[in-house]
Amino acid sequence: MGKQVLDWMEYRATARELVAEGCVLLENKENALPLRKGETVSVFGRIQTNYYKSGTGSGGMVNVSHVVNVLEGLRNSNHVILNEDLLRVYEKWEEENPFDEGCGWGTEPWSQIEMPLTDEILQNARACSETAIVIIGRTAGEDKDIQDIPGAYRLSELEEKMLSQVRSYFPRMIVLLNIGSMMDLNYFDVCQPDALLCIWQGGMQ
């Protein structure tokens, strides 16, 4: 058998295509998606920099060289402008509130604590953009089955508050679900996002 060489660039392109085809658009009012070319978007939710590439267990324990998170994907698209001031607010908060990876197999929590939003944060974000993207993330899987509790199958109180606050400030709100299991969507009938997109857990790309 001859030597086989992996074409890394071809692999990445194929993986990215499959990830995109696997996304499911659950709601899209008045063509909120696709995003408008050149517009500035404000991204809320800590999962913007801590994308869940997979669930827990054997797949989750695979060491990879790099995972493209949502922010990087948006930057790489060259389609929109990110609200960098808001990103810096999140980065500063995360210095004192690091991502909780657990302390062993199956100990990572289903979700992460969200940064509380102040009127000042929201006002500053709204001043430079009309579109907000809110990312909700969940992990579950081997030795970590999802449970019917807030922060797992259901939204947490902080997540509900974040969604309501962003909705009250922005004329256009898009919600991305970085999830790999079922989730209660009833609250989205309350906060009424303009678009709801399930982006699943797409691996490295």
Side-chain angles (χ1 to χ4, degrees):
M1 184 174 181
K3 182 179 179 181
Q4 294 183 331
V5 179
L6 173 65
D7 185 333
W8 183 245
M9 296 305 293
E10 182 181 0
Y11 161 75
R12 290 178 60 185
T14 302
R16 186 180 183 280
E17 180 180 352
L18 293 173
V19 170
E21 291 178 357
C23 294
V24 180
L25 186 60
L26 302 172
E27 184 80 70
N28 195 25
K29 301 172 184 175
E30 299 183 8
N31 298 315
L33 288 175
L35 296 170
R36 291 148 179 78
K37 176 73 173 178
E39 75 170 318
T40 298
V41 295
S42 293
V43 184
F44 295 88
R46 72 175 306 157
I47 299 302
Q48 60 185 281
T49 54
N50 294 282
Y51 173 73
Y52 287 119
K53 69 175 178 19
S54 63
T56 60
S58 301
M61 294 295 286
V62 171
N63 295 318
V64 296
S65 58
H66 181 69
V67 176
V68 177
N69 61 40
V70 175
L71 289 178
E72 187 178 353
L74 287 169
R75 283 198 184 96
N76 292 344
S77 73
N78 293 316
H79 189 79
V80 295
I81 300 167
L82 295 178
N83 180 349
E84 299 289 349
D85 289 338
L86 178 58
L87 173 57
R88 283 189 284 272
V89 172
Y90 269 97
E91 289 175 338
K92 184 176 180 180
W93 179 81
E94 288 180 0
E95 288 177 1
E96 297 182 358
N97 300 270
F99 189 87
D100 184 358
E101 298 180 351
C103 56
W105 182 279
T107 61
E108 182 180 337
W110 290 288
S111 63
Q112 302 288 322
I113 296 175
E114 288 292 346
M115 180 182 76
L117 298 176
T118 64
D119 287 334
E120 181 182 7
I121 291 173
L122 290 158
Q123 289 167 0
N124 290 340
R126 177 63 184 90
C128 70
S129 59
E130 294 186 352
T131 298
I133 296 175
V134 182
I135 307 171
I136 302 293
R138 288 292 185 277
T139 189
E142 189 177 4
D143 283 343
K144 194 71 177 180
D145 291 343
I146 201 78
Q147 291 186 11
D148 186 10
I149 59 175
Y153 175 70
R154 301 183 185 279
L155 291 173
S156 69
E157 183 178 343
L158 272 176
E159 288 171 331
E160 290 185 356
K161 186 174 182 180
M162 173 177 65
L163 287 162
S164 294
Q165 287 177 295
V166 173
R167 175 75 285 182
S168 68
Y169 273 87
F170 285 83
R172 191 178 303 110
M173 181 175 79
I174 296 161
V175 177
L176 307 182
L177 300 175
N178 176 204
I179 61 178
S181 60
M182 292 187 297
M183 188 171 181
D184 178 26
L185 302 181
N186 284 324
Y187 192 74
F188 295 107
D189 290 335
V190 178
C191 66
Q192 292 286 313
D194 297 281
L196 183 60
L197 180 65
C198 184
I199 61 174
W200 299 106
Q201 295 171 343
M204 295 171 62
Q205 294 299 314

mmCIF file with all atom_site columns, all heavy atoms in Angstrom, residues 25-37:
data_model
loop_
_atom_site.group_PDB
_atom_site.id
_atom_site.type_symbol
_atom_site.label_atom_id
_atom_site.label_alt_id
_atom_site.label_comp_id
_atom_site.label_asym_id
_atom_site.label_entity_id
_atom_site.label_seq_id
_atom_site.pdbx_PDB_ins_code
_atom_site.Cartn_x
_atom_site.Cartn_y
_atom_site.Cartn_z
_atom_site.occupancy
_atom_site.B_iso_or_equiv
_atom_site.pdbx_formal_charge
_atom_site.auth_seq_id
_atom_site.auth_comp_id
_atom_site.auth_asym_id
_atom_site.auth_atom_id
_atom_site.pdbx_PDB_model_num
ATOM 1   N N   . LEU A 1 25 ? -31.545 26.402 10.213 1.00 0.00 ? 25 LEU A N   1
ATOM 2   C CA  . LEU A 1 25 ? -32.181 27.701 10.439 1.00 0.00 ? 25 LEU A CA  1
ATOM 3   C C   . LEU A 1 25 ? -33.601 27.470 10.947 1.00 0.00 ? 25 LEU A C   1
ATOM 4   O O   . LEU A 1 25 ? -34.466 27.002 10.213 1.00 0.00 ? 25 LEU A O   1
ATOM 5   C CB  . LEU A 1 25 ? -32.198 28.509 9.131  1.00 0.00 ? 25 LEU A CB  1
ATOM 6   C CG  . LEU A 1 25 ? -32.703 29.945 9.212  1.00 0.00 ? 25 LEU A CG  1
ATOM 7   C CD1 . LEU A 1 25 ? -31.842 30.767 10.169 1.00 0.00 ? 25 LEU A CD1 1
ATOM 8   C CD2 . LEU A 1 25 ? -32.708 30.584 7.825  1.00 0.00 ? 25 LEU A CD2 1
ATOM 9   N N   . LEU A 1 26 ? -33.830 27.788 12.226 1.00 0.00 ? 26 LEU A N   1
ATOM 10  C CA  . LEU A 1 26 ? -35.113 27.527 12.865 1.00 0.00 ? 26 LEU A CA  1
ATOM 11  C C   . LEU A 1 26 ? -36.071 28.705 12.763 1.00 0.00 ? 26 LEU A C   1
ATOM 12  O O   . LEU A 1 26 ? -37.290 28.521 12.833 1.00 0.00 ? 26 LEU A O   1
ATOM 13  C CB  . LEU A 1 26 ? -34.893 27.183 14.345 1.00 0.00 ? 26 LEU A CB  1
ATOM 14  C CG  . LEU A 1 26 ? -33.983 25.979 14.624 1.00 0.00 ? 26 LEU A CG  1
ATOM 15  C CD1 . LEU A 1 26 ? -33.697 25.863 16.124 1.00 0.00 ? 26 LEU A CD1 1
ATOM 16  C CD2 . LEU A 1 26 ? -34.614 24.706 14.101 1.00 0.00 ? 26 LEU A CD2 1
ATOM 17  N N   . GLU A 1 27 ? -35.538 29.893 12.619 1.00 0.00 ? 27 GLU A N   1
ATOM 18  C CA  . GLU A 1 27 ? -36.358 31.104 12.524 1.00 0.00 ? 27 GLU A CA  1
ATOM 19  C C   . GLU A 1 27 ? -35.588 32.142 11.738 1.00 0.00 ? 27 GLU A C   1
ATOM 20  O O   . GLU A 1 27 ? -34.369 32.267 11.879 1.00 0.00 ? 27 GLU A O   1
ATOM 21  C CB  . GLU A 1 27 ? -36.666 31.636 13.929 1.00 0.00 ? 27 GLU A CB  1
ATOM 22  C CG  . GLU A 1 27 ? -37.596 32.826 13.980 1.00 0.00 ? 27 GLU A CG  1
ATOM 23  C CD  . GLU A 1 27 ? -39.055 32.438 13.831 1.00 0.00 ? 27 GLU A CD  1
ATOM 24  O OE1 . GLU A 1 27 ? -39.587 31.819 14.765 1.00 0.00 ? 27 GLU A OE1 1
ATOM 25  O OE2 . GLU A 1 27 ? -39.648 32.761 12.772 1.00 0.00 ? 27 GLU A OE2 1
ATOM 26  N N   . ASN A 1 28 ? -36.294 32.885 10.874 1.00 0.00 ? 28 ASN A N   1
ATOM 27  C CA  . ASN A 1 28 ? -35.629 33.946 10.112 1.00 0.00 ? 28 ASN A CA  1
ATOM 28  C C   . ASN A 1 28 ? -36.663 34.966 9.657  1.00 0.00 ? 28 ASN A C   1
ATOM 29  O O   . ASN A 1 28 ? -37.191 34.882 8.552  1.00 0.00 ? 28 ASN A O   1
ATOM 30  C CB  . ASN A 1 28 ? -34.872 33.374 8.913  1.00 0.00 ? 28 ASN A CB  1
ATOM 31  C CG  . ASN A 1 28 ? -33.891 34.361 8.329  1.00 0.00 ? 28 ASN A CG  1
ATOM 32  O OD1 . ASN A 1 28 ? -33.414 35.264 9.019  1.00 0.00 ? 28 ASN A OD1 1
ATOM 33  N ND2 . ASN A 1 28 ? -33.575 34.212 7.054  1.00 0.00 ? 28 ASN A ND2 1
ATOM 34  N N   . LYS A 1 29 ? -36.930 35.936 10.526 1.00 0.00 ? 29 LYS A N   1
ATOM 35  C CA  . LYS A 1 29 ? -37.944 36.941 10.250 1.00 0.00 ? 29 LYS A CA  1
ATOM 36  C C   . LYS A 1 29 ? -37.367 38.058 9.395  1.00 0.00 ? 29 LYS A C   1
ATOM 37  O O   . LYS A 1 29 ? -36.305 38.596 9.697  1.00 0.00 ? 29 LYS A O   1
ATOM 38  C CB  . LYS A 1 29 ? -38.494 37.509 11.555 1.00 0.00 ? 29 LYS A CB  1
ATOM 39  C CG  . LYS A 1 29 ? -39.114 36.467 12.476 1.00 0.00 ? 29 LYS A CG  1
ATOM 40  C CD  . LYS A 1 29 ? -39.451 37.077 13.821 1.00 0.00 ? 29 LYS A CD  1
ATOM 41  C CE  . LYS A 1 29 ? -39.971 36.030 14.794 1.00 0.00 ? 29 LYS A CE  1
ATOM 42  N NZ  . LYS A 1 29 ? -40.189 36.594 16.148 1.00 0.00 ? 29 LYS A NZ  1
ATOM 43  N N   . GLU A 1 30 ? -38.080 38.409 8.347  1.00 0.00 ? 30 GLU A N   1
ATOM 44  C CA  . GLU A 1 30 ? -37.713 39.528 7.478  1.00 0.00 ? 30 GLU A CA  1
ATOM 45  C C   . GLU A 1 30 ? -36.259 39.457 7.034  1.00 0.00 ? 30 GLU A C   1
ATOM 46  O O   . GLU A 1 30 ? -35.554 40.464 6.991  1.00 0.00 ? 30 GLU A O   1
ATOM 47  C CB  . GLU A 1 30 ? -38.006 40.858 8.174  1.00 0.00 ? 30 GLU A CB  1
ATOM 48  C CG  . GLU A 1 30 ? -39.481 41.040 8.515  1.00 0.00 ? 30 GLU A CG  1
ATOM 49  C CD  . GLU A 1 30 ? -39.777 42.381 9.136  1.00 0.00 ? 30 GLU A CD  1
ATOM 50  O OE1 . GLU A 1 30 ? -38.868 43.238 9.173  1.00 0.00 ? 30 GLU A OE1 1
ATOM 51  O OE2 . GLU A 1 30 ? -40.919 42.576 9.582  1.00 0.00 ? 30 GLU A OE2 1
ATOM 52  N N   . ASN A 1 31 ? -35.801 38.251 6.739  1.00 0.00 ? 31 ASN A N   1
ATOM 53  C CA  . ASN A 1 31 ? -34.445 38.046 6.211  1.00 0.00 ? 31 ASN A CA  1
ATOM 54  C C   . ASN A 1 31 ? -33.357 38.638 7.106  1.00 0.00 ? 31 ASN A C   1
ATOM 55  O O   . ASN A 1 31 ? -32.432 39.305 6.634  1.00 0.00 ? 31 ASN A O   1
ATOM 56  C CB  . ASN A 1 31 ? -34.331 38.631 4.797  1.00 0.00 ? 31 ASN A CB  1
ATOM 57  C CG  . ASN A 1 31 ? -35.263 37.943 3.820  1.00 0.00 ? 31 ASN A CG  1
ATOM 58  O OD1 . ASN A 1 31 ? -35.354 36.723 3.795  1.00 0.00 ? 31 ASN A OD1 1
ATOM 59  N ND2 . ASN A 1 31 ? -35.977 38.730 3.018  1.00 0.00 ? 31 ASN A ND2 1
ATOM 60  N N   . ALA A 1 32 ? -33.481 38.369 8.402  1.00 0.00 ? 32 ALA A N   1
ATOM 61  C CA  . ALA A 1 32 ? -32.434 38.814 9.334  1.00 0.00 ? 32 ALA A CA  1
ATOM 62  C C   . ALA A 1 32 ? -31.103 38.174 8.981  1.00 0.00 ? 32 ALA A C   1
ATOM 63  O O   . ALA A 1 32 ? -30.037 38.763 9.177  1.00 0.00 ? 32 ALA A O   1
ATOM 64  C CB  . ALA A 1 32 ? -32.834 38.463 10.768 1.00 0.00 ? 32 ALA A CB  1
ATOM 65  N N   . LEU A 1 33 ? -31.141 36.968 8.485  1.00 0.00 ? 33 LEU A N   1
ATOM 66  C CA  . LEU A 1 33 ? -29.972 36.285 7.941  1.00 0.00 ? 33 LEU A CA  1
ATOM 67  C C   . LEU A 1 33 ? -30.168 36.083 6.450  1.00 0.00 ? 33 LEU A C   1
ATOM 68  O O   . LEU A 1 33 ? -31.288 35.864 5.996  1.00 0.00 ? 33 LEU A O   1
ATOM 69  C CB  . LEU A 1 33 ? -29.778 34.928 8.636  1.00 0.00 ? 33 LEU A CB  1
ATOM 70  C CG  . LEU A 1 33 ? -29.290 34.969 10.083 1.00 0.00 ? 33 LEU A CG  1
ATOM 71  C CD1 . LEU A 1 33 ? -29.260 33.565 10.679 1.00 0.00 ? 33 LEU A CD1 1
ATOM 72  C CD2 . LEU A 1 33 ? -27.903 35.608 10.183 1.00 0.00 ? 33 LEU A CD2 1
ATOM 73  N N   . PRO A 1 34 ? -29.120 36.158 5.661  1.00 0.00 ? 34 PRO A N   1
ATOM 74  C CA  . PRO A 1 34 ? -27.713 36.335 6.064  1.00 0.00 ? 34 PRO A CA  1
ATOM 75  C C   . PRO A 1 34 ? -27.406 37.757 6.533  1.00 0.00 ? 34 PRO A C   1
ATOM 76  O O   . PRO A 1 34 ? -28.157 38.689 6.243  1.00 0.00 ? 34 PRO A O   1
ATOM 77  C CB  . PRO A 1 34 ? -26.946 36.007 4.780  1.00 0.00 ? 34 PRO A CB  1
ATOM 78  C CG  . PRO A 1 34 ? -27.903 36.346 3.676  1.00 0.00 ? 34 PRO A CG  1
ATOM 79  C CD  . PRO A 1 34 ? -29.262 35.989 4.201  1.00 0.00 ? 34 PRO A CD  1
ATOM 80  N N   . LEU A 1 35 ? -26.305 37.879 7.270  1.00 0.00 ? 35 LEU A N   1
ATOM 81  C CA  . LEU A 1 35 ? -25.863 39.189 7.735  1.00 0.00 ? 35 LEU A CA  1
ATOM 82  C C   . LEU A 1 35 ? -25.566 40.085 6.548  1.00 0.00 ? 35 LEU A C   1
ATOM 83  O O   . LEU A 1 35 ? -25.153 39.627 5.484  1.00 0.00 ? 35 LEU A O   1
ATOM 84  C CB  . LEU A 1 35 ? -24.616 39.041 8.604  1.00 0.00 ? 35 LEU A CB  1
ATOM 85  C CG  . LEU A 1 35 ? -24.784 38.264 9.908  1.00 0.00 ? 35 LEU A CG  1
ATOM 86  C CD1 . LEU A 1 35 ? -23.424 37.983 10.534 1.00 0.00 ? 35 LEU A CD1 1
ATOM 87  C CD2 . LEU A 1 35 ? -25.683 39.009 10.878 1.00 0.00 ? 35 LEU A CD2 1
ATOM 88  N N   . ARG A 1 36 ? -25.735 41.376 6.747  1.00 0.00 ? 36 ARG A N   1
ATOM 89  C CA  . ARG A 1 36 ? -25.528 42.335 5.669  1.00 0.00 ? 36 ARG A CA  1
ATOM 90  C C   . ARG A 1 36 ? -24.042 42.628 5.489  1.00 0.00 ? 36 ARG A C   1
ATOM 91  O O   . ARG A 1 36 ? -23.332 42.854 6.466  1.00 0.00 ? 36 ARG A O   1
ATOM 92  C CB  . ARG A 1 36 ? -26.311 43.611 5.976  1.00 0.00 ? 36 ARG A CB  1
ATOM 93  C CG  . ARG A 1 36 ? -27.819 43.400 5.887  1.00 0.00 ? 36 ARG A CG  1
ATOM 94  C CD  . ARG A 1 36 ? -28.584 44.287 6.854  1.00 0.00 ? 36 ARG A CD  1
ATOM 95  N NE  . ARG A 1 36 ? -30.022 44.085 6.744  1.00 0.00 ? 36 ARG A NE  1
ATOM 96  C CZ  . ARG A 1 36 ? -30.670 43.044 7.269  1.00 0.00 ? 36 ARG A CZ  1
ATOM 97  N NH1 . ARG A 1 36 ? -30.014 42.119 7.939  1.00 0.00 ? 36 ARG A NH1 1
ATOM 98  N NH2 . ARG A 1 36 ? -31.973 42.931 7.129  1.00 0.00 ? 36 ARG A NH2 1
ATOM 99  N N   . LYS A 1 37 ? -23.606 42.640 4.278  1.00 0.00 ? 37 LYS A N   1
ATOM 100 C CA  . LYS A 1 37 ? -22.207 42.873 3.965  1.00 0.00 ? 37 LYS A CA  1
ATOM 101 C C   . LYS A 1 37 ? -21.738 44.213 4.531  1.00 0.00 ? 37 LYS A C   1
ATOM 102 O O   . LYS A 1 37 ? -22.338 45.264 4.304  1.00 0.00 ? 37 LYS A O   1
ATOM 103 C CB  . LYS A 1 37 ? -22.010 42.859 2.438  1.00 0.00 ? 37 LYS A CB  1
ATOM 104 C CG  . LYS A 1 37 ? -20.604 43.175 1.960  1.00 0.00 ? 37 LYS A CG  1
ATOM 105 C CD  . LYS A 1 37 ? -19.647 42.037 2.225  1.00 0.00 ? 37 LYS A CD  1
ATOM 106 C CE  . LYS A 1 37 ? -18.281 42.303 1.597  1.00 0.00 ? 37 LYS A CE  1
ATOM 107 N NZ  . LYS A 1 37 ? -17.314 41.226 1.879  1.00 0.00 ? 37 LYS A NZ  1
#
